[in-house]
Amino acid sequence: MKHTDIKKVLFDADMVGTDTVVCGWVRTFRDSAQVAFLELSDGTAFQKLQVVIDKNSLSVDPEATKLGASVCVKGTVVPAFRGTGSELNAKEVILLGKCPPEYPIQKKRTTLEFLRGMPHLRLRTNTFAAVFRVRSVAAQAIHRYFHERGYYYINAPLITASDCEGAGEMFRVTTQPWNAPYKTEEEYYKNDFFGVKAGLSVSGQLEGEVAATAFGKIYTFGPSFRAENSNTTRHLAEFWHVEPEIAFAELPDVIEIAEDMLRYLVRAVLEECPEELKFFDSFVEKGLIEKLTHVANSDFAVCSYSDAVALLEKENARFEFPVHWGSDLQSEHEKFLTEVVFKRPVFVTDYPKEIKAFYMKQNADGKTVAATDLLVPGIGEIIGGSEREADLEKLRTAMKERGMSEDAYRQYLDLRRFGSVPHGGFGLGFERFVMYCTGMENIRDVTLFPRSVKNIM
Ligand code: ATP
Ligand code: MN
């Protein structure tokens, strides 16, 4: 269908005075004796286009004025009567698809929880239009950031035989029937599609390291799957994961890149989504724009795990789970550090090796590893990264301590056998970043069709 984007009609001054055609959905309708006003949206702009109908010269099918109906309007572009931009004086309004009154997305403000029950329709609200514009802009900015800096874009496999961090977090991939007649696990997997136990990848990191130790700088940007039973507002069973991996890099380099990337992404969203951010600032998180502007322009804090624990221990009375050296930081501790102590994003570094993965570089103290988590206000952990253990013998020892089979990680060990280099990387949870930029408090509200425990609508 030949038509013009509403964004262009609204803001391109050259359009004024011309006749054009727009297509969209009716978002509001106001009627008076002489004129009627239709507000249309087509997804190209957060603002709606006002269509002015002179009732003396044009009669319009009432169905074409119903909330949610889709229409095509021919008319003349004129400067907006109020405010900036343009509006459209209608010459013809054609109904494309009518929308009966039981349409559940009505003008009155509904709750996000109510809208979660209709993921296929909720996108037609201002909130979701804004969320998904930010998400789209952020995704483009991620590719731009790495591409401009010479990274290869790599696609790691989603089906894998290696269980990246151990522990039963992986979804299994199988073609066996639910009542497969085998007596042992071994027999089951031998008869399964791959002949071994397979699952959906929890991270593209191991393959990322393979690529980084050939191409230098790489990133992946794709889905990761975690069968974790944590029904929180920050976890999904399927989420999008940005994972750069960099050769010839140590922990401080990894931190520098993570900070630079995050600030670049925040700046991109500030520049490209001003209307959306104004909306979130007014209706979702007061002060959001100020927060993001501050993040884009000031340094993040860095604090060792040991120092963080010393700070937290003094506050143990306020926590549900008291902290001591060696304990994993819970969400309440992470939030306290970033929101109360540092009041800005903070990299916590050098965690006890027992609470981190086998592949992290062991520090000289024999107790900690060169890991870092980036914590941000409102969310907690948004990035997890580390320098990887590049020393073959140390890596083998760490695996042995965890009872891991060297056989399953032969390729991974080869990277340390043949031209091993210091290298590292991190994983950014893309949805958590979108939450951070929009102020949305539930990860289910920044994902098209969220998948979580007992939820696959
Ligand atoms: P958390 O402690 O919050 O469960 P994690 O330490 O298990 O996260 P990592 O393995 O470090 O997570 O993954 C890197 C990043 O991926 C995290 O910092 C987070 O932003 C994101 N992430 C991890 N698990 C999920 C999930 N289930 N849903 C959405 N994002 C996730
Ligand atoms: Mn982590």
Side-chain angles (χ1 to χ4, degrees), residues 4 45 61 75 81 95 107 129 151 188 198 236 241 253 310 330 388 408 419 434:
T4 310
D61 180 350
F81 187 70
L95 174 69
K107 266 303 284 173
Y151 288 65
Y188 179 100
L236 290 173
H241 211 172
D253 305 302
Q330 305 285 333
R388 321 305 186 190
V434 177

Side-chain angles (χ1 to χ4, degrees), residues 356 373 381 384:
K356 288 292 181 185
D373 281 1
E381 179 184 335

